[in-house]
């Protein structure tokens, strides 16, 4: 039976990395992205549908299949936020969007759904106790709006598994790496460090993992994950200073003068956010991100390593490749190359 892979959030950092890996191994891939998402993120051969996960009907072209075809869905689409406030859009995308995907999987008889949750959905253990997989999730057990939406959606998905749907859940930690056309908060920080715009940083850190390793884990979960099981796709703890020192090794205009204690940075967070709003930049320092820096990030990826063959590369390699990719993005692209690329991504629906 022919397999068709559906990747939502296909132009996102993780989504486009998954798509590229699937295309490289010869799979048939359908991508789903917002109308405003950059098609340049996708390789040749992808059938792209534009829409919104909040609009179930806009996703229907993805699920159309013949009797001899099976659908494997990898749902990465989400609003990732380091803000504390729960917005309507955050909940609609991260919770209702998941429900829409689940309902379409049922309606069209999808073979498997891989739901990309987050380590933020996992209840934090006191102190530095190791955090492992669980099958119990609740918004009240986690802090922050993003974490609460992920916990609610993960609980919903696992209940659908109990009702018969073939679902596997993965929990990535902080994703970093090349191929980020939307510029997530971590890559934003690396770029600002590389270009000399970042003058101060925070002394804390978190558990970071390469996007390419997470993509491999998602595909492995689709191929051989156990129905109804969760898998943590984490790296290890890195101080922010450790990451930025790796950027410094790659050259560039490193101009950091101070590393602020988390407590002081948290007090200053409202002023940073105000400045970012005035300059229309993504915030790097928020109260929630500061709390995350102090949280327990001792995640165990043993289950993923044992059952999925999950492996993590060195952060030195990750930062080197990310800096190289960011530098390449700064250079103008030849017009003819851009046009030829646009012609290779097919629009569907």
């Amino acid at each position: 039976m022919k397999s068709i892979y559906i990747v939502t959030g296909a132009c996102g950092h993780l989504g486009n990395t998954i798509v590229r890996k699937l295309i490289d191994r010869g799979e048939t891939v359908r991508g789903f992205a917002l109308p405003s998402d950059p098609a340049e993120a996708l390789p040749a051969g992808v059938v792209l549908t534009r829409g919104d996960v909040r609009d179930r009907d806009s996703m229907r072209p993805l699920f159309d299949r013949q009797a001899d075809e099976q659908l494997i869905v990898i749902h990465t689409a989400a609003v990732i936020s380091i803000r504390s406030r729960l917005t309507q859009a955050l909940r609609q995308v991260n919770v209702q969007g998941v429900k829409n995907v689940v309902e379409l999987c049922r309606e069209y008889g999808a073979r498997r759904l891989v739901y990309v949750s987050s380590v933020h959905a996992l209840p934090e253990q006191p102190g530095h106790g190791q955090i492992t997989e669980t099958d119990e999730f609740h918004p009240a057990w986690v802090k922050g709006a993003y974490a609460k939406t992920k916990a609610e959606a993960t609980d919903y998905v696992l209940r659908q598994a109990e009702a018969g749907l073939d679902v596997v859940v993965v929990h990535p930690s902080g994703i970093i790496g090349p191929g980020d056309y939307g510029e997530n908060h971590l890559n934003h920080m690396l770029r600002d460090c590389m270009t000399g715009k970042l003058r101060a940083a925070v002394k804390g850190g978190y558990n970071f993992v390469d996007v390419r390793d997470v993509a491999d884990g998602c595909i492995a979960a689709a191929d051989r994950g156990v129905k109804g099981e969760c898998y943590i796709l984490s790296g290890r703890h890195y101080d922010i200073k450790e990451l930025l020192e790796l950027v410094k090794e790659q050259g560039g205009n490193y101009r950091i003068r101070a590393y602020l204690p988390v407590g002081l940075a948290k007090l200053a967070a409202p002023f940073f956010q105000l400045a970012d709003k005035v300059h229309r930049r993504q915030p790097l320092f928020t109260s929630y991100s500061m709390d995350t820096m102090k949280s327990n990030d001792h995640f165990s990826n043993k289950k993923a390593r044992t059952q999925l063959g999950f492996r993590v590369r060195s952060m030195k390699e990750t930062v080197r490749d990310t800096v190289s990719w960011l530098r390449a993005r700064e250079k103008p692209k030849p017009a003819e190359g851009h046009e030829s690329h646009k012609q290779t991504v097919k629009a569907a629906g």
Side-chain angles (χ1 to χ4, degrees):
M1 182 171 284
K2 179 182 178 181
S3 294
I4 297 174
Y5 287 80
I6 295 171
V7 181
T8 66
C11 295
H13 193 192
L14 177 58
N16 86 69
T17 308
I18 292 171
V19 167
R20 289 175 189 279
K21 287 180 175 288
L22 289 171
I23 290 292
D24 285 347
R25 76 176 200 180
E27 304 292 354
T28 299
V29 183
R30 296 175 182 172
F32 186 73
L34 289 167
S36 59
D37 285 344
E40 64 174 325
L42 297 175
V46 180
V47 177
L48 179 63
T49 297
R50 299 284 190 176
D52 193 311
V53 294
R54 293 172 292 186
D55 178 4
R56 193 186 315 165
D57 287 342
S58 73
M59 289 188 282
R60 289 191 181 278
L62 292 168
F63 288 82
D64 187 36
R65 68 179 181 91
Q66 303 299 315
D68 62 343
E69 296 173 334
Q70 63 176 3
L71 303 176
I72 300 170
V73 182
I74 303 178
H75 182 53
T76 79
V79 173
I80 300 173
S81 174
I82 60 171
R83 299 182 186 275
S84 302
R85 189 170 64 90
L86 176 63
T87 64
Q88 184 179 17
L90 185 65
R91 192 172 189 283
Q92 284 181 339
V93 173
N94 291 1
V95 180
Q96 186 57 51
V98 173
K99 292 180 178 180
N100 287 340
V101 170
V102 165
E103 289 170 9
L104 288 170
C105 284
R106 286 195 177 281
E107 181 179 342
Y108 288 87
R111 163 68 182 83
R112 164 160 285 182
L113 167 64
V114 175
Y115 169 56
V116 180
S117 179
S118 168
V119 292
H120 294 288
L122 297 164
E124 185 178 342
Q125 298 300 312
H128 292 284
Q130 190 174 67
I131 301 173
T132 58
E133 288 83 359
T134 181
D135 58 2
E136 295 184 343
F137 296 87
H138 196 286
W141 299 346
V142 293
K143 298 177 182 178
Y146 172 72
K148 290 180 182 297
T149 61
K150 282 296 188 177
E152 182 178 352
T154 305
D155 176 69
Y156 171 79
V157 165
L158 289 179
R159 284 190 282 107
Q160 301 311 303
E162 292 173 356
L165 188 66
D166 190 328
V167 174
V168 178
V169 176
V170 295
H171 300 280
S173 59
I175 293 177
I176 189 171
D180 177 20
Y181 291 84
E183 197 174 278
N184 73 24
H185 299 92
L186 283 173
N187 284 352
H188 181 190
M189 180 180 65
L190 296 192
R191 188 204 63 186
D192 283 358
C193 176
M194 185 179 78
T195 58
K197 293 180 181 179
L198 190 66
R199 303 298 184 89
V202 182
K203 285 185 176 179
Y206 198 61
N207 189 301
F208 299 124
V209 63
D210 192 293
V211 66
R212 295 166 292 185
D213 298 329
V214 174
D216 287 336
C218 291
I219 294 170
D223 290 345
R224 55 184 180 274
V226 178
K227 174 185 172 183
E229 293 292 318
C230 298
Y231 298 92
I232 294 174
L233 306 180
S234 61
R236 71 161 176 86
H237 176 92
Y238 292 90
D239 286 339
I240 296 299
K241 184 175 183 180
E242 190 176 359
L243 288 181
L244 298 183
E245 288 290 337
L246 288 173
V247 175
K248 185 178 181 181
E249 289 180 12
Q250 301 302 315
N253 190 13
Y254 181 92
R255 302 177 69 184
I256 296 177
R257 297 290 178 264
Y259 284 88
L260 307 176
V262 171
L264 180 60
K266 186 174 180 179
L267 289 174
F271 301 99
F272 287 125
Q273 288 178 259
L274 180 59
D276 289 332
K277 185 175 181 179
V278 169
H279 294 286
R280 297 182 180 180
R281 300 178 305 215
Q282 289 191 67
L284 286 176
F285 303 105
T286 68
S287 294
Y288 177 63
S289 68
M290 294 304 102
D291 286 338
T292 300
M293 295 280 187
K294 297 188 297 182
S295 65
N296 179 7
D297 62 355
H298 190 195
F299 303 107
S300 171
N301 60 21
K302 182 179 179 180
K303 183 177 177 181
R305 285 187 286 111
T306 302
Q307 296 187 17
L308 303 181
F310 180 65
R311 294 293 180 268
V312 178
R313 71 194 68 205
S314 73
M315 188 54 64
K316 185 171 184 176
E317 177 186 346
T318 298
V319 172
R320 181 199 68 205
D321 293 349
T322 304
V323 169
S324 295
W325 189 84
L326 288 169
R327 281 184 178 140
R329 288 279 291 166
E330 297 287 327
K331 299 175 183 177
K333 297 183 178 68
E336 63 271 19
H338 181 62
E339 288 302 316
S340 63
H341 175 78
K342 288 201 297 186
Q343 291 170 9
T344 62
V345 180
K346 301 176 183 177

